[in-house]
Amino acid sequence: MTDTTITRNFLDTPSFWREYPERDIEFVRWYPCDVRPLTADAMYAQQEKFPKTTSFYVHIPFCNQVCTSCPYNKFNTRNTLVRRYIEALKAEIDMYSRLPYLKDVVFTSGYFGGGTPTTLRAEELDDLLGFMKQRLNFSDDCSVTIESTPVDVDQHKLDVLLKHGVNRMSLGVQTFHDPLLRYLGRARAHTGESATKTIELIDRSGMENLCIDYMIGIPGQTHELWAQDIRTLMDLPVTSFSVYNYAVLPGSEVFFALQSGATPPCPSTHEADEMYQYLHTTLMDAGYLALTYNDFIEPMRPEWEAKGVKTYPVLTDGSKPYRGLETDTFYLTDHLSQVWGRCGDMVAMGSGAYGYLNNRMYLTEPDINAYIETCNAGRLPVVMGAYTDEHEQRCRSLVLGLKLLRMKRSVYRERHGVDPYEYFKDKCDDLAAKGLIEITDEAIQVTYPKGWYYIDNICKTFYSDANYRLPQPTSASTEILNWQIDRADGRKGLPVVQL
């Protein structure tokens, strides 16, 4: 067994930064990355933005069973700790409700992530959601997502969620094949059959948008098993879905099981890439719409089109009828559009959460006990972040906006007062020459399939000099502050391992 077989996605990558034509696989979700110590007092010392709308992210760091591949800030559920955490979270929500910066601001979308938010009991969910709606001003069509697993949701919880306006659920299915679920550490949690029954329950409940999460690269996964999963997906009442790479974490249980041969090897990088390509072509041939390179939504419904939901051609030459969804025209994708497309404000609440307010990207205290103590003492638990001046804001709009595969030039000009192509002409011309983007009078668009494959290379092209070669900030710990060392070339960042 070779090292590349064991560690196909992270451990065989000496550097998180790869230059084209090497493919960068570090998933870009936040910008900027040049984070430093930050306090809430410093964040709001001077109000620079005057938002009318915003979004929220609430982190619930509890799981009834922790998966072998999960890198996020989470803990096994313990009732006493959960109660203490919810009270601290409510204290934080109350502080934000009284923050002058958010006075009269309307929340148009939100996301409950984790962890698994639905590990909370129905009564706890009812209490938390009710408290938020009392303290914060939600729009009538606010789109709210909550993450769950097939075993952490039941009819009672669904009734509570629907009562409080939660209209989208992201369900961590990962695969419908029981042997693969064992390698994920999910065997005692759910089976393919129980996942199917949960999906049918959620559909009957009236949840508007059910998204399921899949994984590529699971130990023992083959192209045939992946094709079966895609067929299963298309036969179920699922509105949208996301696909992620399985990560072999250093020193984890599965890492040692792979080394010993107790667990079958992961698919090779080439095999995983073929699975992605099969996913794209199978779904778009069937009329599914692309949101990002790894997020898709079911074919256009007449009622969506009647409400003004718009699409665009994935292939500008019209050689295939593949379409992408303009996320800012559909309220059920408003959160994705707000955070990446518009690069708007987002209030981060909970231990280890990310947010963006007052021209600052910020992270909250990842240590759960320190988080609880801080909130109970009446202080917002901001611990680190980064300021974005006008140049960084212009960078951020393309770093994150192109995750949605297309940036309208008129929208960018309205937001920043400059044209994105003219402002980043050299970078855009270089990407276009490599066949990674296309530039039209209307938009800068990621090419398919080549640009999709190199999406994170494209996003990182628009990093500023201050963020060049820096890793994505992590909510798992504040040790990232120690990573910022002075290099010989004067930049801040990790020493780069030469390949």
Side-chain angles (χ1 to χ4, degrees):
M1 185 180 298
T2 65
D3 289 342
T4 54
T5 300
I6 296 173
T7 59
R8 57 154 295 275
N9 44 17
F10 284 119
L11 298 186
D12 60 349
T13 308
S15 170
F16 53 85
W17 189 290
R18 310 298 286 267
E19 301 285 358
Y20 177 86
E22 291 182 288
R23 183 190 186 196
D24 197 309
I25 58 172
E26 185 195 33
F27 187 76
V28 175
R29 61 166 54 85
W30 283 105
Y31 186 85
C33 307
D34 187 22
V35 297
R36 302 173 185 278
L38 180 67
T39 65
D41 290 340
M43 279 189 66
Y44 306 109
Q46 181 177 350
Q47 186 165 337
E48 298 186 12
K49 292 180 66 179
F50 299 89
K52 295 181 180 179
T53 62
T54 189
S55 182
F56 69 81
Y57 173 80
V58 175
H59 193 72
I60 307 295
F62 301 108
C63 291
N64 288 329
Q65 185 172 345
V66 176
C67 298
T68 59
S69 64
C70 181
Y72 299 110
N73 197 37
K74 76 282 182 187
F75 305 87
N76 284 311
T77 305
R78 301 195 302 274
N79 289 337
T80 302
L81 182 59
V82 170
R83 287 195 296 271
R84 291 175 55 221
Y85 184 80
I86 292 175
E87 290 307 309
L89 180 57
K90 289 166 65 176
E92 184 184 13
I93 293 167
D94 186 62
M95 283 185 273
Y96 275 115
S97 72
R98 294 183 281 107
L99 191 69
Y101 180 78
L102 294 175
K103 182 181 180 182
D104 300 324
V105 167
V106 176
F107 286 82
T108 59
S109 67
Y111 196 103
F112 289 86
T116 307
T118 53
T119 56
L120 301 184
R121 293 182 290 108
E123 295 76 17
E124 293 168 332
L125 288 168
D126 192 24
D127 176 52
L128 177 60
L129 289 163
F131 185 86
M132 289 188 70
K133 296 192 78 171
Q134 289 175 0
R135 293 297 194 274
L136 306 175
N137 185 16
F138 286 53
S139 67
D140 291 339
D141 61 351
C142 184
S143 174
V144 179
T145 298
I146 193 165
E147 293 180 350
S148 184
T149 72
V151 294
D152 290 307
V153 61
D154 55 29
Q155 188 62 60
H156 191 188
K157 290 182 183 180
L158 284 168
D159 290 342
V160 168
L161 297 176
L162 293 167
K163 165 188 168 183
H164 290 290
V166 177
N167 50 16
R168 181 175 182 272
M169 178 171 286
S170 179
L171 197 69
V173 173
Q174 319 311 355
T175 177
F176 286 95
H177 297 285
D178 293 348
L180 301 188
L181 287 170
R182 285 198 294 272
Y183 304 135
L184 289 173
R186 301 295 303 168
R188 289 173 294 183
H190 77 268
T191 63
E193 182 180 3
S194 66
T196 299
K197 290 181 178 178
T198 299
I199 289 170
E200 293 169 347
L201 171 66
I202 296 168
D203 179 60
R204 290 195 302 271
S205 75
M207 185 72 65
E208 284 188 77
N209 187 341
L210 172 59
C211 174
I212 67 170
D213 288 348
Y214 267 2
M215 276 190 175
I216 287 180
I218 301 169
Q221 191 176 44
T222 64
H223 192 284
E224 290 72 25
L225 293 177
W226 176 242
Q228 290 175 27
D229 269 341
I230 300 303
R231 287 195 295 272
T232 300
L233 163 77
M234 297 172 70
D235 289 338
L236 289 171
V238 174
T239 312
S240 59
F241 71 97
S242 303
V243 180
Y244 301 99
N245 274 320
Y246 176 77
V248 179
L249 302 180
S252 65
E253 179 181 344
V254 72
F255 172 79
F256 292 112
L258 285 164
Q259 283 188 315
S260 68
T263 293
C266 299
S268 68
T269 300
H270 176 70
E271 290 168 331
D273 290 342
E274 287 186 336
M275 291 181 194
Y276 259 116
Q277 189 60 40
Y278 176 82
L279 165 82
H280 295 161
T281 56
T282 301
L283 290 172
M284 290 194 291
D285 281 343
Y288 282 72
L289 307 173
L291 301 177
T292 73
Y293 88 104
N294 65 325
D295 296 279
F296 293 81
I297 194 165
E298 67 179 332
M300 177 69 75
R301 297 181 185 176
E303 60 267 30
W304 296 349
E305 197 165 17
K307 292 181 179 180
V309 178
K310 297 180 180 179
T311 64
Y312 65 89
V314 167
L315 290 160
T316 56
D317 63 5
S319 56
K320 290 186 178 180
Y322 295 168
R323 308 291 295 183
L325 182 76
E326 293 188 10
T327 57
D328 59 348
T329 67
F330 190 28
Y331 76 98
L332 285 177
T333 55
D334 186 75
H335 187 74
L336 194 61
S337 183
Q338 167 77 1
V339 176
W340 284 353
R342 295 191 292 271
C343 287
D345 277 9
M346 185 173 77
V347 181
M349 294 173 280
S351 176
Y354 297 75
Y356 188 90
L357 290 174
N358 203 27
N359 290 336
R360 288 167 175 82
M361 191 277 282
Y362 70 100
L363 297 90
T364 62
E365 174 59 64
D367 182 287
I368 193 167
N369 288 308
Y371 167 83
I372 291 171
E373 291 173 7
T374 302
C375 292
N376 289 342
R379 301 191 308 275
L380 288 172
V382 177
V383 291
M384 54 184 172
Y387 176 72
T388 57
D389 58 19
E390 181 57 42
H391 174 64
E392 290 289 13
Q393 291 169 37
R394 293 172 181 178
C395 293
R396 180 174 179 249
S397 282
L398 287 181
V399 169
L400 299 179
L402 288 176
K403 297 285 288 183
L404 300 179
L405 307 176
R406 191 171 187 258
M407 170 58 68
K408 288 185 178 179
R409 294 171 70 172
S410 61
V411 171
Y412 191 97
R413 287 194 297 266
E414 181 180 353
R415 183 183 305 140
H416 298 295
V418 296
D419 183 81
Y421 173 66
E422 293 174 359
Y423 192 75
F424 293 103
K425 186 177 186 304
D426 290 345
K427 292 184 176 182
C428 288
D429 285 344
D430 181 61
L431 290 172
K434 292 171 179 173
L436 302 179
I437 64 172
E438 290 182 310
I439 303 162
T440 67
D441 291 341
E442 182 181 6
I444 297 174
Q445 184 166 322
V446 179
T447 60
Y448 175 83
K450 187 175 182 180
W452 287 26
Y453 183 77
Y454 290 103
I455 185 66
D456 291 305
N457 298 72
I458 294 170
C459 294
K460 289 183 176 182
T461 298
F462 297 99
Y463 276 25
S464 69
D465 287 345
N467 289 275
Y468 182 72
R469 288 195 180 277
L470 285 180
Q472 287 280 287
T474 171
S475 62
S477 77
T478 52
E479 290 178 358
I480 190 172
L481 298 175
N482 298 323
W483 295 354
Q484 296 176 322
I485 63 172
D486 288 308
R487 296 189 336 208
D489 59 8
R491 299 180 187 273
K492 290 286 188 179
L494 287 171
V496 178
V497 179
Q498 297 299 324
L499 301 178

